[in-house]
């Protein structure tokens, strides 16, 4: 089966069919999610927090990202694979932005890239799209601006902020982005934006009026507790499952109950005889 693409996203919005997206950072998880039928896999720079243990996403490099994007691409058979551009990989010049976006396509095999911001990164988005690389926008809470925002806070609550968000969403549409992630934006504003543009909005903490939803997979599976944003729904509690399994394994190794005979390999008795 061919992978889902930019046109799939646009058709889904036109038909009113919701788009599903989850983050994935490694082969085995990406394979499970792809087999389960998720529409798109995002290698988020949130991997800096969930996979690498940083406090925010600012330390993540192109090399960190490429390593994980390559692993996810190997697993994806039907989902669209989107690589998140890390801090500083698209902020300097349009040329640098194209070359870095291009590495995700050429070296890693991603289908599209995502980057944060509106007016401030307009020329970079234009240049990447001119190079025929599909771009997913990202507005609202843009974690790479954490030091400007003074923390991970809901965005677009004031009239000025809300107007800016609406204008930026229209700008991204006009530049040719194939969708926009709306992160931590009031639900009614996100709905208004979704209705005002023809490209899909993918919400995270932005309510049910968006055209699709994205969450961080560790949050969905209940295996990362350094953060607990209000917008997360935990669909499984793997923290408990993983810790119970770990404790059971350790107990059985200590007691000698594991491994059992069925977990072992045999040697011919005649060979053994010669060794004695
Ligand atoms: N595991 C994980 N999940 C995420 O959703 C996520 C990451 N990591 N890393 C990158 C960013 C950071 N994100 C965050 C982190 C914290 C909040 C948070 O605590 N928000 C408050 C809202 C505060 C306010 O009222 O302004 C909340 O209560 O949800 C939100 C988004 C979303 N992203
Ligand atoms: C939460 C999503 C949208 C993201 O940007 C990430 O995982 O890095
Ligand atoms: Mg990100």
């Amino acid at each position: 089966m061919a992978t889902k693409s930019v046109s799939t996203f646009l058709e889904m919005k036109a038909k009113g069919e919701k788009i599903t997206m989850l983050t994935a950072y490694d082969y085995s998880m990406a394979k499970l999610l792809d087999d389960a039928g998720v529409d798109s896999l995002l290698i988020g720079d949130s991997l800096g927090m969930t996979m690498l243990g940083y406090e925010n996403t600012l330390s993540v490099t192109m090399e960190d990202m490429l390593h994980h994007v390559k692993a996810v691409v190997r697993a994806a058979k039907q989902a669209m694979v989107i690589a998140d551009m890390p801090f500083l990989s698209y902020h300097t010049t349009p040329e640098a932005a194209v070359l870095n976006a291009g590495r995700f396509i050429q070296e890693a095999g991603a289908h599209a890239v995502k980057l944060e911001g509106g007016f401030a990164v307009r020329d970079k988005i234009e240049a990447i799209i001119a190079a025929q690389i599909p771009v997913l926008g990202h507005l609202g809470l843009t974690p790479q601006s954490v030091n400007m925002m003074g923390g991970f806070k809901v965005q677009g609550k004031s009239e000025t902020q809300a107007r800016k968000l609406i204008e930026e969403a229209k700008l991204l549409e006009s530049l040719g982005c194939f969708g926009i992630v709306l992160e931590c934006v009031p639900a009614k504003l996100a709905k208004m934006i979704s209705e005002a543009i023809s490209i899909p909005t993918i919400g995270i903490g932005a309510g049910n009026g968006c055209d699709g939803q994205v969450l961080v997979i560790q949050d969905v599976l209940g295996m990362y507790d350094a953060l607990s944003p209000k917008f997360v729904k935990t669909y499984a509690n793997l923290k408990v499952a993983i810790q119970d399994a770990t404790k059971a394994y350790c107990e059985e190794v200590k007691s000698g109950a594991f491994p059992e005979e069925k977990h072992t390999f045999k040697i011919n008795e005649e060979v053994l005889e010669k060794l004695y």
Side-chain angles (χ1 to χ4, degrees):
M1 196 207 292
T3 52
K4 286 171 182 139
S5 64
V6 167
S7 52
T8 320
F9 266 46
L10 297 170
E11 282 160 24
M12 287 172 86
K13 167 145 185 166
K15 285 189 209 152
E17 195 184 326
K18 298 273 189 180
I19 297 163
T20 57
M21 182 182 293
L22 285 167
T23 69
Y25 313 110
D26 67 280
Y27 176 83
S28 56
M29 182 70 78
K31 182 146 192 343
L32 293 175
L33 306 186
D34 187 78
D35 286 346
V38 71
D39 296 319
S40 50
L41 294 170
L42 172 71
I43 304 88
D45 63 345
S46 54
L47 68 80
M49 298 168 71
T50 55
M51 294 285 107
L52 305 177
Y54 295 125
E55 265 179 35
N56 57 49
T57 58
L58 299 176
S59 306
V60 177
T61 64
M62 277 299 298
E63 304 308 320
D64 291 333
M65 291 302 302
L66 282 163
H67 181 68
H68 290 274
V69 174
K70 287 175 186 174
V72 170
V73 165
R74 287 180 205 121
K77 295 286 173 277
Q78 61 80 26
M80 180 174 181
V81 177
I82 305 169
D84 214 2
M85 296 194 69
F87 180 56
L88 286 190
S89 71
Y90 58 97
H91 299 81
T92 55
T93 63
E95 286 76 6
V98 173
L99 290 173
N100 284 319
R103 291 189 73 188
F104 286 126
I105 309 297
Q106 190 169 58
E107 292 177 37
H111 304 125
V113 300
K114 178 172 82 57
L115 55 86
E116 298 178 6
F119 296 122
V121 290
R122 175 192 181 127
D123 55 336
K124 282 67 167 195
I125 294 177
E126 273 174 336
I128 296 170
I129 294 176
Q132 307 303 303
I133 299 167
V135 174
L136 180 63
H138 183 163
L139 298 173
L141 194 175
T142 47
Q144 292 170 15
S145 315
V146 63
N147 292 322
M148 292 288 267
M149 299 182 303
F152 296 131
K153 292 179 182 158
V154 176
Q155 302 294 307
K157 284 188 159 186
S158 71
E159 185 188 338
T160 320
Q161 271 203 352
R163 282 193 191 281
K164 187 178 178 211
L165 265 180
I166 296 168
E167 288 314 309
E168 289 191 313
K170 289 182 178 168
L171 171 74
L172 296 189
E173 176 184 36
S174 73
L175 296 180
C177 288
F178 70 92
I180 304 175
V181 167
L182 291 179
E183 179 164 350
C184 287
V185 171
K188 287 183 178 169
L189 176 61
K191 184 167 191 285
M192 195 183 290
I193 292 172
S194 305
E195 287 167 357
I197 59 178
S198 60
I199 56 172
T201 57
I202 312 294
I204 172 165
N208 206 15
C210 294
D211 303 302
Q213 298 292 326
V214 59
L215 283 174
V216 167
I217 190 63
Q218 275 70 20
D219 297 341
V220 170
L221 300 180
M223 54 193 290
Y224 178 84
D225 51 17
L227 284 179
S228 50
K230 182 184 177 184
F231 56 78
V232 166
K233 180 169 174 184
T234 303
Y235 285 83
N237 194 339
L238 290 204
K239 172 182 167 162
V240 171
I242 290 169
Q243 290 185 327
D244 284 352
T246 304
K247 285 176 199 160
Y249 165 77
C250 291
E251 275 168 27
E252 290 200 356
V253 170
K254 298 267 187 200
S255 73
F258 174 82
E260 295 165 48
E261 177 144 9
K262 66 182 176 191
H263 301 119
T264 61
F265 304 99
K266 297 206 179 344
I267 186 170
N268 197 310
E269 284 300 324
E270 287 161 31
V271 175
L272 203 58
E273 205 58 38
K274 289 180 188 151
L275 297 176
Y276 278 131

